[in-house]
Amino acid sequence: MCSISAQIVTVGSCMRDMTSFTGRLPKAGETVQGRRFQMGFGGKGANQCVAAAKLGASTALVAKLGDDSHGRSYVDELRAHGVSVGHVSFTGDSHTGIASILVDDDGRNCIVVMSGANALLSPGDVSKAGETIARCSVLVCQGEIPAETNLAALSLAKRHGVRTVFNCAPVTPDLPPELFSLSDVFCVNETEAETILGVGVSDVDEATIGAKLLLERGCGVAIVTLGDKGAVFASKESPDGVLVPCPVVRAVDTTGAGDAFVGSMCYFLAVHPLLSMETAIRRSCHVASVSVQKPGTHGSFPFRRDLSPELFLS
């Protein structure tokens, strides 16, 4: 067991992204001509970890990769961004996770994920990273790894007074209710909120209701992101919900926008802990709006030097 000093620890997924760009997304049964193809690095866990690292946070990732060329190249990618990889392990029992992505001219996307090695990330892997998690400021988890692994990580963090963030994406039908009480911040987009709550969440008013309903399930803060409309959050201090708008930009590719938002929010919570939640969300919306103006995931996330110094004032 090794201990790594990191402000933010991510327990989550790594995916190799296979992205095809096309004029419009195909209908069921339809073939369309693509315009461009690129391979990249994705997976919500790694994306959020890299997004926070590019803003200047010290980060560590707990993840599992296939013992293949994709996995080995992924470790090189993480190291290049300064992410600590001491808790990233390899398995010969499955392939590195793969995401097949289609992106249209408006930046809209659809994604099919093959979990591969991510499905083998276990509570035992979390235990091996226990000292690192216990010493960090913020732990973040997502829905692309087994629920029992998320529960183990969030529980361990809570026992040590670490601030916890759970990005419930994608949503699984058997979502353990304990995930709410273990999450200081519970974040979903409008589609994920609909799946969890069983009610429509298609506009700001419905998202506000949704955030309040999620808050009632036991989390400290509930956030519903709304794409270019920004995000709505509800908390004990703001139980009626607050809309935080997003800057208006021309989107090129929205694939990593949610991860840019969550990763940057973890940065602000860890590095600037005295900021109000509304301010942290507003700044995270700004970072996400910058990311959608470039294609891809890791390459679209801005470095601190690319952003206004005002974003980093305490």
Side-chain angles (χ1 to χ4, degrees):
M1 179 185 296
C2 68
S3 178
I4 297 168
S5 179
Q7 293 166 306
I8 299 167
V9 175
T10 304
V11 179
S13 58
C14 295
M15 301 278 184
R16 282 308 308 265
D17 288 347
M18 313 289 183
T19 305
S20 298
F21 295 86
T22 182
R24 61 178 179 81
L25 301 177
K27 300 175 183 178
E30 181 185 19
T31 299
V32 297
Q33 183 68 44
R35 297 178 178 174
R36 182 164 57 90
F37 172 79
Q38 71 179 32
M39 289 180 59
F41 298 91
K44 290 186 175 298
N47 285 352
Q48 293 168 15
C49 198
V50 168
K54 291 182 76 169
L55 294 179
S58 58
T59 63
L61 180 64
V62 182
K64 196 173 289 290
L65 296 163
D67 188 11
D68 51 36
S69 60
H70 290 314
R72 289 186 287 275
S73 64
Y74 213 124
V75 169
D76 293 338
E77 166 76 1
L78 293 168
R79 286 180 173 141
H81 287 296
V83 175
S84 295
V85 296
H87 299 301
V88 177
S89 58
F90 292 92
T91 179
D93 294 329
S94 191
H95 58 84
T96 296
I98 299 293
S100 299
I101 305 170
L102 295 177
V103 180
D104 70 10
D105 283 347
D106 293 322
R108 296 173 299 186
N109 65 76
C110 58
I111 306 172
V112 177
V113 168
M114 299 294 292
S115 295
N118 295 299
L120 302 180
L121 188 65
S122 70
D125 295 306
V126 170
S127 180
K128 292 175 183 177
E131 290 186 21
T132 299
I133 293 172
R135 294 170 57 195
C136 75
S137 297
V138 172
L139 172 87
V140 57
C141 299
Q142 315 78 26
E144 288 183 337
I145 61 173
E148 59 267 24
T149 306
N150 279 325
L151 287 171
L154 293 166
S155 297
L156 191 159
K158 290 291 276 187
R159 289 197 301 271
H160 290 279
V162 174
R163 202 166 190 178
T164 56
V165 176
F166 183 58
N167 177 211
C168 191
V171 177
T172 56
D174 54 346
L175 187 67
E178 310 96 285
L179 284 173
F180 290 95
S181 59
L182 290 171
S183 300
D184 292 317
V185 179
F186 187 92
C187 182
V188 289
N189 64 23
E190 59 265 59
T191 303
E192 293 149 0
E194 285 184 353
T195 302
I196 294 170
L197 297 170
V199 298
V201 182
S202 59
D203 57 30
V204 171
D205 290 339
E206 291 177 347
T208 302
I209 294 171
K212 291 191 285 186
L213 291 174
L214 291 171
L215 183 67
E216 291 173 0
R217 298 199 178 191
C219 55
V221 178
I223 302 174
V224 179
T225 60
L226 296 165
D228 59 5
K229 299 182 185 68
V232 170
F233 79 95
S235 64
K236 293 176 182 177
E237 294 74 24
S238 302
D240 293 329
V242 177
L243 171 65
V244 182
C246 190
V248 177
V249 298
R250 172 72 168 87
V252 172
D253 181 4
T254 61
T255 303
D259 295 330
F261 174 85
V262 174
S264 56
M265 181 175 63
C266 291
Y267 166 85
F268 289 116
L269 294 178
V271 181
H272 300 280
L274 299 182
L275 291 178
S276 69
M277 182 55 64
E278 181 174 356
T279 300
I281 292 173
R282 188 179 307 280
R283 294 182 182 186
S284 301
C285 284
H286 183 92
V287 174
S289 73
V290 172
S291 76
V292 302
Q293 297 177 63
K294 292 183 179 180
T297 49
H298 295 188
S300 74
F301 301 151
F303 286 100
R304 176 171 179 155
R305 63 177 180 266
D306 301 323
L307 300 167
S308 168
E310 294 181 358
L311 280 179
F312 301 95
L313 297 176
S314 296

